[in-house]
Amino acid sequence: MTLPTLLSQLLPGPVLAPFFYGVLLYGTRYLVMALALYSLARRGRGRPVDAAYPAGDDRAAHLRREIGHAAGTVLVFGLVNAVLFGTGLIQHTQLYFRLDAAPAGWFALSVVLALVLHDALFYALHRLMHTRPLYRRMHLTHHRSVRPTAFAAYSFHPWEALGEALLVVAVLFVLPMHPLALLVFQTVSTLINVYGHCGREFYPPDWHRHPIGRWINTSTLHAHHHATGRDNYGLYFTWWDRWLGSADPARR
């Protein structure tokens, strides 16, 4: 029995199409971005953010693990998409489908506000997953990539993948957004996530001292997080880490 046949038997008709659409969208976007950043890293573009792989590391096995977990994450994202759109739950969110239904300029502003709100929710979930009761159950899978590659961006335990998906659902219940604005927001989010795991730094060396740069998260900061298992819990910005005392002491 093929996977599509099995899924068609397990999933009711109305949710099957949004499931496959979600898998195709999330999977394609992740693969394109991860392959691009991984290729740049392999060619030595940017600056290294941590030590090279020890001689005993099996890079192929490392990549298989990250990509394998990422495949599971894409399926979870597809299931959440199926529930949202296939059951009618999306009608109870703030998503609107006519561009003229919101004031001019709201489209761009909603993307910015979505990033700010999502960053706050992500920080809270990330700190929570680093507590003892949840770390092994949810987050350890992701942190097996002590020196992550770009493919680690989606390398989650299924419970963490569900938590990450529900953060976006929460944003939709709070912020009015057009589907195209949602697409832009999630594309930017995925790109920053992939960049944060790619192992190379593309910002200037003194970016963390710049008046604006000091508030922007970097691959260097996230590499420190993976190497130590602490500090730098934000996704896009550093303000929650700075305000709540979880920033890397060397770059506060």
Side-chain angles (χ1 to χ4, degrees):
M1 181 181 295
T2 64
L3 180 60
T5 302
L6 177 62
L7 288 171
S8 66
Q9 294 181 3
L10 294 176
L11 300 176
V15 303
L16 193 60
F19 169 77
F20 281 119
Y21 172 80
V23 168
L24 180 64
L25 174 62
Y26 290 115
T28 302
R29 183 168 54 197
Y30 157 77
L31 275 177
V32 169
M33 292 183 177
L35 279 169
L37 268 294
Y38 181 77
S39 297
L40 288 175
R42 290 285 284 173
R43 291 202 295 267
R45 301 296 176 87
R47 302 185 311 282
V49 298
D50 57 13
Y53 275 72
D57 274 19
D58 186 339
R59 184 181 290 272
H62 181 97
L63 289 173
R64 284 196 300 270
R65 175 176 51 77
E66 289 183 342
I67 295 171
H69 287 303
T73 293
V74 169
L75 291 177
V76 171
F77 288 177
L79 286 171
V80 172
N81 197 69
V83 171
L84 268 179
F85 287 91
T87 66
L89 182 61
I90 196 67
Q91 300 174 14
H92 301 284
T93 69
Q94 298 288 332
L95 203 68
Y96 62 90
F97 294 89
R98 289 180 51 187
L99 283 172
D100 59 359
W106 176 253
F107 184 99
L109 182 58
S110 69
V111 173
V112 174
L113 292 177
L115 291 169
V116 172
L117 176 57
H118 185 241
D119 191 63
L121 296 173
F122 177 87
Y123 179 89
L125 176 64
H126 199 180
R127 287 295 300 266
L128 189 63
M129 289 191 299
H130 272 268
T131 60
R132 184 168 296 182
L134 294 182
Y135 184 77
R136 288 190 173 276
R137 292 179 176 88
M138 290 182 70
H139 201 44
L140 178 60
T141 296
H142 185 65
H143 269 275
R144 291 194 188 281
S145 296
V146 178
R147 293 182 176 86
T149 73
F151 294 103
Y154 273 13
S155 182
F156 301 141
H157 185 281
W159 285 119
E160 179 171 359
L162 179 60
E164 300 286 355
L166 292 180
L167 295 186
V168 176
V169 174
V171 170
L172 289 179
F173 272 94
V174 174
L175 277 179
M177 296 191 78
H178 188 273
L180 289 178
L182 175 64
L183 180 64
V184 172
F185 154 59
Q186 290 192 292
T187 300
V188 172
S189 175
T190 305
L191 179 60
I192 293 175
N193 190 12
V194 171
Y195 150 71
H197 291 89
C198 76
R200 308 294 293 187
E201 185 56 76
F202 297 94
Y203 284 116
D206 58 348
W207 182 242
H208 63 287
R209 297 190 183 94
H210 189 276
I212 296 177
R214 69 190 301 265
W215 301 105
I216 305 298
N217 208 356
T218 65
S219 181
T220 302
L221 292 176
H222 200 64
H224 169 83
H225 175 77
H226 271 264
T228 65
R230 62 179 184 274
D231 300 329
N232 306 332
Y233 298 99
L235 180 56
Y236 315 117
F237 311 109
T238 64
W239 48 54
W240 292 111
D241 285 303
R242 291 180 179 276
W243 293 340
L244 297 180
S246 56
D248 176 7
R251 288 180 173 259
R252 286 179 183 172

